[in-house]
Amino acid sequence: MKMHNFSAGPSILPQEVLKKASEAVLNFNNLNLSLIEVSHRSADFVAVMEKARHLALELLGLEGKGYNAVFLQGGASLEFLMTPYNLLPVDGKAAYLDTGAWSSNAIKEAKLLGEIDVVASSKDKGYTYIPKNYNIPADADYFHCTSNNTIHGTQIKEFPKTDTLLVCDMSSDIFSRQLDFSKFDLIYAGAQKNMGPAGTTLVVVKESVLGKTGRTIPSMLDYQIHISKDSMFNTPAVFPVYVSMLTLQWLKDLGGIKAIEKINNAKADLLYGEIDNNPNFKGTAVKEDRSNMNVTFVLTDDSKKDAFDALCKNAGLNGLKGHRSVGGYRASIYNALPLESVQVLVNTMQQL
Ligand SMILES: *Cc1c(COP(=O)(O)O)cnc(C)c1O
């Protein structure tokens, strides 16, 4: 049966990427060696890393603008700690926006290193909206936000105008919509939502903001060290980087972020349209803040759960279970998910 993969992460990748990746596992670049058994210092793999870093900057429109891109390990969760290590001076203060479980994890880690001002939180209403009209203190050394709240299905549509450094966890919506990425000083994203397999994290940083904290930073946590070693300070996650490179190339060939955004909007419109019009379903996020990547919804009548789950199973719909902390349903409609899969989901919702 054809499966439709709505998983939140690890999540769907383009079929042609999976095919090329599996070929490289057996025979990389016609070397008659596997991608995962050759030296990361070999010319063939160094070229992969360079291409992946280059494509990331190119797709974000950040080439030649003082940014660098590195592929690190430890997930987005380690960036929660690396960000303050690299940007928060010893006696400094950082401002954080609390829009969900991942934001609050970021806040918890940052508090290990200094004063953190939580400028606003939507926890009061189960993180179903994005706070607005908050103040970022002028003396904050940076402002941190989460562009898309994977678990709660909300997304920041307009970023605050601020003179402080802007740091963003874009794990679940990077490369999905056009933004002026040059407004951000540091962007990070775990690969496994919209780019590749779990195991690597893309960090894009404006180099001029680094090296100013007066801290002694452990080598593995120091962005400047990773940059100076061309993202090869230690053995990189060769397979996740390779697959990420293939996905970024796939996106470029498709026409880049501009082209995928159109498709993403069509998918989101189709699905939200059904949720809003079908009396069996209700969206959980406030309309103006709802995400184009993770669509969260519940049944209006819980007694229909078994019937709906059976319909989904028969239609090959996979990964729709909501996060264990919030329940309900979540359809993750990342870049690689075709419109056709959303149509199958909508048809299935109509059968209930
Ligand atoms: C998944 C996710 C994370 C955590 O990523 P890990 O790679 O598991 O550390 C952090 N932030 C957001 C927005 C996420 O979606």
Side-chain angles (χ1 to χ4, degrees):
M1 181 182 14
K2 172 159 173 54
M3 297 299 287
H4 303 279
N5 185 3
F6 292 88
S7 180
S11 43
I12 187 166
L13 290 168
Q15 274 298 316
E16 64 179 78
V17 165
L18 294 179
K19 187 160 176 291
K20 284 183 188 161
S22 63
E23 285 164 6
V25 168
L26 294 172
N27 183 1
F28 173 43
N29 282 3
N30 285 322
L31 299 171
N32 288 320
L33 293 164
S34 169
L35 165 74
I36 55 175
E37 63 179 14
V38 297
S39 170
H40 59 291
R41 308 272 176 211
S42 65
D44 287 84
F45 187 78
V46 169
V48 168
M49 178 61 95
E50 283 316 298
K51 192 168 174 195
R53 297 170 71 202
H54 178 80
L55 280 169
L57 291 177
E58 185 185 352
L59 286 163
L60 297 172
L62 292 176
E63 265 183 322
K65 293 187 178 168
Y67 287 79
N68 210 307
V70 285
F71 284 87
L72 307 182
Q73 297 182 62
S77 297
L78 189 58
E79 300 316 310
F80 297 160
L81 183 64
M82 285 179 77
T83 300
Y85 246 123
N86 285 269
L87 296 182
L88 185 58
V90 175
D91 297 317
K93 176 170 90 175
Y96 276 67
L97 182 64
D98 178 25
T99 54
W102 295 121
S103 301
S104 73
N105 284 1
I107 291 164
K108 183 172 166 237
E109 297 302 298
K111 279 184 174 168
L112 296 173
L113 293 189
E115 186 185 344
I116 302 303
D117 185 343
V118 179
V119 295
S121 172
S122 50
K123 194 174 183 182
D124 56 341
K125 290 188 179 151
Y127 294 123
T128 51
Y129 69 101
I130 301 289
K132 293 165 196 91
N133 302 320
Y134 48 82
N135 258 331
I136 299 170
D139 62 343
D141 290 289
Y142 67 87
F143 171 70
H144 178 284
C145 58
T146 312
S147 55
N148 185 70
N149 299 283
T150 325
I151 295 173
H152 314 281
T154 61
Q155 188 173 37
I156 298 179
K157 306 290 175 181
E158 241 177 90
F159 291 84
K161 291 180 182 62
T162 170
D163 290 331
T164 65
L165 301 185
L166 188 53
V167 178
C168 191
D169 174 1
M170 293 196 188
S171 290
S172 52
D173 70 351
I174 193 162
F175 303 119
S176 73
R177 56 173 171 163
Q178 289 181 287
L179 291 173
D180 180 358
F181 293 98
S182 70
K183 290 219 161 65
F184 299 86
D185 297 284
L186 194 155
I187 296 166
Y188 60 88
Q192 73 270 24
K193 311 285 167 51
N194 221 3
M195 187 169 53
T200 192
T201 310
L202 171 64
V203 175
V204 175
V205 59
K206 196 185 242 177
E207 286 193 69
S208 60
V209 307
L210 297 174
K212 296 182 173 169
T213 62
R215 289 182 192 278
T216 304
I217 307 176
S219 307
M220 275 296 282
L221 304 185
D222 188 338
Y223 291 134
Q224 284 185 312
I225 288 187
H226 288 288
I227 290 170
S228 71
K229 301 290 182 187
D230 295 329
S231 202
M232 296 258 199
F233 170 64
N234 70 322
T235 316
V238 291
F239 184 72
V241 170
Y242 183 72
V243 182
S244 298
M245 181 277 283
L246 292 177
T247 310
L248 296 176
Q249 184 65 52
W250 166 85
L251 180 56
K252 183 181 168 183
D253 294 344
L254 205 93
I257 295 179
K258 190 175 177 189
I260 202 79
E261 182 178 29
K262 262 199 197 144
I263 303 169
N264 287 336
N265 286 342
K267 290 186 293 187
D269 288 348
L270 179 62
L271 185 49
Y272 282 119
E274 183 61 26
I275 290 169
D276 291 342
N277 291 317
N278 186 327
N280 282 320
F281 298 95
K282 200 173 74 188
T284 56
V286 165
K287 271 190 190 174
E288 62 177 11
D289 299 326
R290 56 197 188 180
S291 166
N292 276 8
M293 290 280 103
N294 308 96
V295 178
T296 51
F297 57 99
V298 292
L299 285 163
T300 47
D301 176 358
D302 261 342
S303 71
K304 293 188 175 172
K305 182 177 182 305
D306 289 348
F308 183 57
D309 290 352
L311 284 173
C312 289
K313 194 160 180 238
N314 289 336
L317 300 170
N318 176 70
L320 286 171
K321 198 171 182 303
H323 190 268
R324 53 190 149 66
S325 65
V326 298
Y329 296 91
R330 169 175 53 173
S332 297
I333 54 175
Y334 296 125
N335 283 358
L337 185 93
L339 180 64
E340 177 213 342
S341 290
V342 178
Q343 189 63 59
V344 173
L345 171 57
V346 165
N347 294 348
T348 304
M349 293 166 82
Q350 289 171 354
Q351 283 169 35
L352 186 67

